[in-house]
Amino acid sequence: MSVNRDVTVLQEARVSFCGNTAVLLDAEGPLTLATQERIWRLSDTARQWEGVVDTQPGMNSLLVVVDPKTADLEALAARLGETWPAVPSGRIEGRLLEVGVVYGGEGGQDLPEVAAFHKCTPADVAKLHAAPEYTIFAPGVTAGFGYLFGMDPRLFTPRRQVPVMRALGGGVSIAGIQSNLGKPYVEGSAKAAPTGWYMIGRAPDVPSPFDFDKTPPNLVSLGDRIRFRVDRVEA
């Protein structure tokens, strides 16, 4: 499935203060690849400004962290809002990573529940989930991976109202219109954690997303793409 580009990218954005050390820009409008690409470009630009120590792109948003001793927070907020309309759009070509997935079974125990919600079979869910090419939109909770955009809207599944405990380690999950890929299990770390997402599969051979011995250390970066491959569907 291709990402819809027939959208209007609104020029207005909301800028707010986060304490005395950060400014948050929220882009108005729906979540689209065109808007997110502009967020990434603005992040690269703002990172070069005097007094800025870090930038963190989010979904339709950008957090700019500053050194309060050297940065004028109000001036920076104004500059951020003034710069946004001039940020160019255009495709940022990223790398492509293919990931084999075992849908259902151990580690994908929520697949039957998702299939029942959509009134289809587990195999249908796996096919729909693996069909599109996903783009990494924003950093995730795991260093080196991020939140994925591009899922078929027919798989929209509301997040759980009450989190459940699920095993960690190469999990493939969905919630809302997003998908996620978990890092491999690391010996000695927690084996399970609460989540509002639905675990529909596991990627047994998912590479480590972050390795200091490699250059760059991130397996994938913002704008890179992931394609899932259905290795098999288990009951």
Side-chain angles (χ1 to χ4, degrees):
M1 184 185 79
S2 60
V3 177
N4 179 19
R5 292 178 174 277
D6 297 327
V7 295
T8 300
V9 179
L10 301 185
Q11 298 300 308
E12 297 297 327
R14 292 182 291 113
V15 179
S16 55
F17 297 103
C18 298
N20 64 349
T21 59
V23 175
L24 179 68
L25 178 138
D26 283 304
E28 301 291 345
L31 187 64
T32 67
L33 181 56
T35 298
Q36 203 65 18
E37 287 169 340
R38 297 179 70 222
I39 290 287
W40 302 334
R41 286 192 169 93
L42 180 58
S43 175
D44 291 339
T45 298
R47 197 176 294 122
Q48 308 305 316
W49 295 347
E50 183 178 357
V52 172
V53 297
D54 192 21
T55 58
Q56 285 294 324
M59 295 294 199
N60 264 20
S61 66
L62 176 65
L63 181 70
V64 180
V65 183
V66 305
D67 179 353
K69 296 179 181 179
T70 60
D72 182 331
L73 205 60
E74 291 192 5
L76 187 140
R79 185 178 184 183
L80 199 62
E82 293 167 357
T83 303
W84 171 248
V87 176
S89 58
R91 184 62 191 260
I92 297 176
E93 293 294 340
R95 297 167 294 174
L96 176 63
L97 174 68
E98 184 174 286
V99 178
V101 179
V102 177
Y103 287 89
E106 183 181 359
Q109 61 267 54
D110 297 327
L111 180 62
E113 185 178 354
V114 172
F117 176 81
H118 292 287
K119 297 180 173 59
C120 64
T121 68
D124 290 334
V125 173
K127 183 178 180 180
L128 282 172
H129 181 263
E133 192 174 87
Y134 294 81
T135 301
I136 298 176
F137 257 35
V141 296
T142 299
F145 278 154
Y147 291 104
L148 307 179
F149 181 82
M151 191 167 71
D152 191 315
R154 289 175 291 179
L155 280 182
F156 176 87
T157 308
R159 291 188 65 165
R160 296 182 185 275
Q161 293 185 350
V162 179
V164 295
M165 294 296 292
R166 289 293 180 260
L168 300 175
V172 177
S173 56
I174 64 173
I177 197 61
Q178 297 178 45
S179 186
N180 202 6
L181 174 63
K183 67 178 181 179
Y185 174 71
V186 178
E187 191 66 35
S189 62
K191 294 185 177 181
T195 180
W197 291 54
Y198 292 83
M199 305 299 295
I200 62 171
R202 65 189 186 281
D205 301 319
V206 60
S208 175
F210 195 84
D211 187 343
F212 275 117
D213 294 329
K214 295 182 179 180
T215 303
N218 280 17
L219 178 67
V220 289
S221 303
L222 299 181
D224 285 348
R225 296 157 293 138
I226 289 181
R227 179 174 288 280
F228 294 110
R229 182 186 68 248
V230 181
D231 283 351
R232 65 180 182 275
V233 179
E234 296 182 346

